Amino acid sequence: MLKVRMLGQEEITYGDHPILSGKNKITKSMELLLLLLHRKETGIARSRLADALYGVEEVADAGNSLRVTLHRLRKLLLDAGMLEEDFITIREGVYRWSSREEMDVDVWKFRELIEGAEKETDEVRKAELLKAACQMYRGEFLPKLSGQEWALLAAASYKKMYCDALTWIIEWLKKRREYDEILCLVETACRLYPFEEWQTVKIDCYIAQNRYNEAMAEYENTARMLAEELGVAPSERMMEQFRDMSSHISNRPGTVEDIKHGLQEDKKDWGAFYCTPPSFRDVYRMVRRNMERSGRSVYLLVCSLTDSQGRAMEQGEKLEQLAGKLGDAIHSSLRRGDAFTRYSASQYLVMLGGISWENCQIVISRITDSFTKEHKSWEKRLHCCVTSLYDEEG
């Protein structure tokens, strides 16, 4: 049997013989095989096939390159032990996979389940088919070929099938109050697409089961992830869930010790206190109010990452590397009583209380020294600005 996996990873085996594993680079002959298997029902015209394989490359003779790729693919399959036959037929300029070998291809099964569910009139049977399809979806279609236009378009199509199927099965299970089943199914979506807020489904399930502490933990983890990775706040939908959870948790009677325990941090941290942007905003507003009564000096420090021209760095791998290092430097350079947050992709905010202007400069120096410990050249990437909250009041 020829086993082919395209969802979440690229893997092809014939019996015990690996033809393509996740560690291998995908050659043109392997890409050709994957493309033909993906288009098994319709096949693909010669011109479109050549364009899909070599469209963005400078190939002198696409037709000759295609013949060479076909020859290499045939030899590769024969070397793996497959029966000698015409694996690919060409009729009226259309190329099709036509091997007589027994096949196990995940995208074929996935499409069959989705198409079967669309034709099914019995809801129970439809739910079974869609559930099986969701469980089969292990990730993006051919992730290593995401730079190829044909694979990118196919990946978007498979993702839509998966998301539509998951949305339908979630609503169906909600009506039956099968929340544990939903939690199992949506866990994969949260892992694959963490920024699309499938976590709201988990929170809904926890709330429906009166598991408010778990719902709150899910919200806090998601809010932190969105702030750290994207520099954005949770959606209005998630904020509504937060308010719902808060009202239920607040209305629960408890002893003073229980309440104190619930408010405490999970673990004692020696560094500065990190909080999400919404939480930082609330702390900021409370501190400004307290200043009116206490007269305590509080400063806001803005740490920005810039490019060589002094402008905010654009999203990318380099920015994430520098932002991670800067977050670590701020955390380790401040006191436990200082709070900070990642305000945007390229900026951190720090609140410094009970400190003088001169000492603010010392704090900036400590952060800078920690941030540039490995690479002194990074100092020109960091711009720090400090202002007094009292001055903001006029």
Side-chain angles (χ1 to χ4, degrees):
M1 179 183 291
L2 186 68
K3 292 185 177 181
V4 183
R5 297 290 172 265
M6 302 191 208
L7 296 173
Q9 62 178 343
E10 300 86 354
E11 187 175 272
I12 304 176
T13 58
Y14 180 69
D16 296 329
H17 186 90
I19 296 176
L20 174 67
S21 72
K23 298 179 181 178
N24 297 139
K25 180 183 177 182
I26 298 181
T27 61
K28 285 299 174 185
S29 56
M30 280 295 95
E31 184 179 351
L32 172 61
L33 175 58
L34 293 166
L35 177 53
L36 290 171
L37 292 175
H38 163 62
R39 297 289 296 268
K40 178 178 182 291
E41 292 85 356
T42 60
I44 183 168
R46 177 190 179 91
S47 59
R48 293 187 63 185
L49 180 58
D51 187 58
L53 291 173
Y54 315 109
V56 296
E57 301 176 15
E58 295 183 5
V59 178
D61 187 345
N64 183 64
S65 297
L66 181 57
R67 285 190 292 273
V68 172
T69 302
L70 284 166
H71 173 75
R72 288 175 177 170
L73 174 58
R74 177 178 173 79
K75 183 177 185 305
L76 187 150
L77 296 175
L78 291 174
D79 289 346
M82 291 182 65
L83 300 174
E84 179 148 1
E85 58 175 328
D86 291 328
F87 301 108
I88 300 165
T89 59
I90 308 171
R91 293 178 184 171
E92 299 180 353
V94 176
Y95 288 65
R96 283 187 176 87
W97 177 262
S98 61
S99 173
R100 293 171 294 150
E101 294 278 7
E102 187 179 358
M103 306 283 292
D104 177 8
V105 183
D106 61 351
V107 292
W108 294 358
K109 289 184 177 180
F110 180 75
R111 289 199 301 255
E112 286 173 8
L113 290 167
I114 296 293
E115 290 166 4
E118 290 174 349
K119 299 173 184 176
E120 188 59 62
T121 56
D122 179 75
E123 282 200 347
V124 175
R125 177 58 185 155
K126 180 176 182 176
E128 291 174 354
L129 293 171
L130 292 179
K131 188 191 302 183
C134 290
Q135 291 170 338
M136 177 167 287
Y137 189 87
R138 301 181 185 90
E140 291 282 313
F141 174 78
L142 300 179
K144 286 186 178 178
L145 290 178
S146 59
Q148 297 289 77
E149 184 179 2
W150 75 267
L152 188 63
L153 293 173
S157 176
Y158 285 119
K159 179 184 176 182
K160 186 177 186 305
M161 291 182 202
Y162 168 69
C163 292
D164 289 348
L166 185 58
T167 299
W168 190 94
I169 193 70
I170 286 170
E171 293 306 312
W172 187 78
L173 289 171
K174 278 184 178 179
K175 295 175 185 176
R176 299 164 65 90
R177 300 183 180 276
E178 296 183 23
Y179 300 113
D180 287 333
E181 188 76 30
I182 297 173
L183 288 169
C184 290
L185 286 171
V186 83
E187 187 64 41
T188 300
C190 291
R191 176 175 53 81
L192 296 176
Y193 306 113
F195 304 122
E196 298 183 16
E197 293 202 3
W198 286 100
Q199 296 88 341
T200 59
V201 177
K202 293 179 70 176
I203 293 172
D204 278 340
C205 291
Y206 289 138
I207 291 175
Q209 295 175 307
N210 295 322
R211 296 161 63 180
Y212 293 104
N213 288 332
E214 290 169 88
M216 185 64 77
E218 188 69 35
Y219 166 82
E220 290 175 346
N221 291 335
T222 303
R224 184 179 297 110
M225 177 197 65
L226 292 172
E228 292 177 353
E229 299 295 330
L230 301 181
V232 299
S235 66
E236 183 58 34
R237 167 70 182 129
M238 192 168 281
M239 293 299 292
E240 288 176 8
Q241 291 178 319
F242 173 75
R243 288 188 283 269
D244 186 19
M245 290 181 285
S246 299
S247 65
H248 282 86
I249 292 174
S250 299
N251 290 333
R252 281 178 158 183
T255 66
V256 172
E257 291 303 318
D258 288 339
I259 293 171
K260 284 176 60 180
H261 179 74
L263 293 174
Q264 288 175 357
E265 296 179 69
D266 293 335
K267 59 181 180 179
K268 191 169 183 178
D269 196 342
W270 52 267
F273 179 71
Y274 178 84
C275 48
T276 62
S279 298
F280 188 89
R281 178 196 59 200
D282 293 337
V283 172
Y284 178 91
R285 292 174 179 178
M286 190 65 195
V287 168
R288 284 185 64 170
R289 289 189 177 201
N290 285 335
M291 286 175 62
E292 299 172 9
R293 181 177 57 190
S294 67
R296 185 168 177 256
S297 62
V298 182
Y299 291 89
L300 177 69
L301 170 63
V302 181
C303 299
S304 305
L305 292 168
T306 63
D307 60 18
S308 58
Q309 304 299 318
R311 297 173 298 211
M313 288 187 70
E314 296 182 358
Q315 289 277 14
E317 187 176 337
K318 183 66 174 179
L319 173 58
E320 286 308 306
Q321 179 191 13
L322 291 176
K325 291 291 186 182
L326 179 55
D328 292 341
I330 293 172
H331 178 259
S332 62
S333 301
L334 303 181
R335 303 164 300 183
R336 280 172 47 81
D338 296 323
F340 74 105
T341 190
R342 188 172 179 182
Y343 180 70
S344 67
S346 61
Q347 282 185 316
Y348 280 90
L349 304 183
V350 183
M351 196 177 306
L352 304 170
I355 190 173
S356 66
W357 174 268
E358 291 74 17
N359 285 336
C360 285
Q361 309 310 311
I362 296 174
V363 169
I364 292 173
S365 296
R366 285 208 304 265
I367 293 173
T368 303
D369 290 344
S370 178
F371 176 63
T372 60
K373 186 175 182 180
E374 297 178 16
H375 304 281
K376 292 298 182 183
S377 61
W378 284 2
E379 186 170 354
K380 62 184 179 182
R381 299 282 190 178
L382 180 60
H383 176 74
C384 295
C385 176
V386 65
T387 182
S388 169
L389 271 64
Y390 181 78
D391 290 341
E392 289 185 6
E393 292 287 355

